Amino acid sequence: MATSGAAFWTSPDWDEHERVELVHDRASGLTAIIALHSTHCGPGAGGTRFWHYADPAAAMTDALRLSRGMSYKNAMAGLPMGGGKAVVLLDKNRSKTAEMLAAFGDAVEALGGKYVTAEDVGASEADMVAISERTQHVCGLPVADGAAGGDPGPFTAQGIYLGICAAVEHKLGKGSVNGVHVALQGCGSVGSGVARLLAADGAKLTVADIDPKRAEALASEVEGKAVAADAIMTTPCDVFSPNALGAILNAEGIAGLDCAIVAGGANNQLAKHGDGEALAARDILYAPDYVINAGGIINVSLEYLCRREMRECTAGQVQELISHIPRRLHEIWQESATSGEGAHIVADRMAQKLIGRG
Ligand code: NAD
């Protein structure tokens, strides 16, 4: 069922990925790519994305880039996990079915624990339960109250909140976010969690979502202000917190920012690597996305590791690991200040060293 991805070794997104599996199961119609970027720190962990890709090349690009991002994220979070990611290609003739999930579970199992999957865009907890009927190498499963695991959103939000506090301390010299103005893009699971934590500390919030009702509901809950989705990036504020889409920090987006700090949970915020330089040139402090948004993977990784070792792990232990995110950010910013390089460059270098590619 699985074949090697040799044809993709010349792709510009190829980054010495250890293994790429092209998976096809005729009976269920499953077509998927499982990319293992690095298992230097442990099994490659990263979610499975179910998506309607424009073409297979776009799916391969996503798998290669996202799996590398997971290597960096897991290493920088201090997890004993490497980086991997799976994408399942859907189209009008192929929607997600129980048979497809079973075949995908078999493909994960065939890797013998080198890859550990979890939820990503287009996948639910119920999907992980279905996959777990065919493989033990899955996390993001339902857990008891107070145990490690389950919905990663609140844990991701917790890490971002702590990262914003650290950025405010580093850049603005303030020991609290009380009175600090945060413009928050995206009022979903992560964004709304971040907004609530900031509001509890007295931050001033402006929020936006492409669903204006969502933004208005959150604004009223946190006593903030809702603005149109296309106005949030130019809102004058202390902190711009992107929690919706990736690739928003492009030349135009960066030129329009009116903030001192960019710190939020969206994956792959920089449209191109060079856009990190543009942020640094504008003296905007950047919290590298894969460092600040690691709370969710910390949560589900602990769930997986504890289940495998048959020991109980609590949400408190997850919080303890998440509390190290600010320390890592401070290390990045300090080195960035010393070397004069952008935070994104420093973070990539630290991550590469941790995965044995320094
Ligand atoms: P979500 O789907 O719950 O929320 C995303 C929100 O963004 C939605 O309300 C959507 O309407 C809104 N949105 C989409 N496009 C927008 C735009 N152009 N302007 C304003 N709002 C827009 O997703 P989520 O789980 O909250 O994840 C948010 C981001 O964080 C994503 O980039 C995701 O990849 C990243 N992330 C999430 C987690 C997690 O644990 N959920 C972990 C790491 C990274």
Side-chain angles (χ1 to χ4, degrees):
M1 179 161 88
T3 57
S4 122
F8 295 93
W9 281 347
T10 53
S11 156
D13 299 306
W14 186 262
D15 180 49
E16 293 186 51
H17 287 68
E18 289 178 13
R19 185 167 181 158
V20 177
E21 295 280 325
L22 305 179
V23 183
H24 182 65
D25 178 61
R26 175 181 265 262
S28 65
L30 172 74
T31 299
I33 302 168
I34 302 176
L36 277 175
H37 177 255
S38 164
T39 56
H40 182 83
C41 296
T48 297
R49 180 165 292 191
F50 292 78
W51 196 248
H52 291 80
Y53 287 98
D55 54 50
M60 178 56 73
T61 296
D62 227 14
L64 293 176
R65 285 188 189 168
L66 291 167
S67 59
R68 183 177 73 161
M70 290 311 300
S71 288
Y72 288 12
K73 185 183 300 202
N74 295 339
M76 292 293 267
L79 292 169
M81 309 296 269
K85 199 87 181 181
V87 299
V88 174
L89 289 76
L90 303 176
D91 59 34
K92 61 180 173 20
N93 302 315
R94 268 197 307 249
S95 52
K96 195 169 58 179
T97 61
E99 293 74 20
M100 210 182 254
L101 291 169
F104 181 71
D106 289 342
V108 172
E109 183 62 19
L111 288 168
K114 283 189 187 308
Y115 171 61
V116 180
T117 197
E119 289 99 332
D120 193 67
V121 177
S124 64
E125 190 177 81
D127 296 336
M128 295 305 118
V129 172
I131 290 168
S132 74
E133 285 165 18
R134 310 298 275 246
T135 182
Q136 55 182 310
H137 306 297
V138 52
C139 48
L141 299 170
V143 293
D145 278 354
D151 182 5
F155 293 95
T156 304
Q158 172 77 14
I160 295 161
Y161 157 74
L162 294 175
I164 290 174
C165 294
V168 163
E169 187 189 0
H170 183 89
K171 180 77 180 171
L172 307 178
K174 294 187 178 175
S176 156
V177 291
N178 189 10
V180 169
H181 182 192
V182 181
L184 189 132
Q185 180 183 53
C187 306
S189 165
V190 172
S192 60
V194 174
R196 288 183 192 111
L197 290 165
L198 289 169
D201 276 359
K204 180 181 163 200
L205 285 149
T206 301
V207 302
D209 196 288
I210 40 164
D211 178 348
K213 287 203 182 85
R214 229 177 228 203
E216 276 150 29
L218 183 63
S220 122
E221 187 188 332
V222 299
E223 297 180 8
K225 183 179 165 197
V227 296
D230 62 5
I232 195 73
M233 281 186 76
T234 51
T235 297
C237 60
D238 298 303
V239 183
F240 169 60
S241 183
N243 297 286
L245 300 177
I248 47 147
L249 299 174
N250 54 22
E252 191 191 345
I254 292 167
L257 288 172
D258 190 353
C259 62
I261 295 163
V262 173
N267 279 314
N268 300 326
Q269 290 165 30
L270 298 172
K272 301 190 300 315
H273 204 63
D275 293 321
E277 307 298 341
L279 274 179
R282 288 208 50 206
D283 197 24
I284 294 172
L285 184 72
Y286 174 58
D289 45 19
Y290 59 81
V291 179
I292 196 172
N293 73 11
I297 191 74
I298 290 174
N299 177 45
V300 293
S301 293
L302 209 64
E303 171 203 324
Y304 175 74
L305 294 167
C306 292
R307 189 182 311 116
R308 206 178 54 171
E309 293 159 15
M310 296 204 304
R311 60 187 170 99
E312 304 266 307
C313 285
T314 64
Q317 287 168 284
V318 178
Q319 308 268 11
E320 161 63 20
L321 289 173
I322 291 174
S323 72
H324 298 303
I325 289 176
R327 180 181 49 76
R328 181 67 84 189
L329 288 169
H330 279 302
E331 277 170 19
I332 294 166
W333 294 326
Q334 267 155 20
E335 189 173 325
S336 167
T338 308
S339 69
E341 297 163 304
H344 63 301
I345 292 176
V346 172
D348 281 5
R349 189 169 55 237
M350 283 182 178
Q352 280 157 4
K353 204 167 164 192
L354 289 169
I355 65 168
R357 299 186 185 185

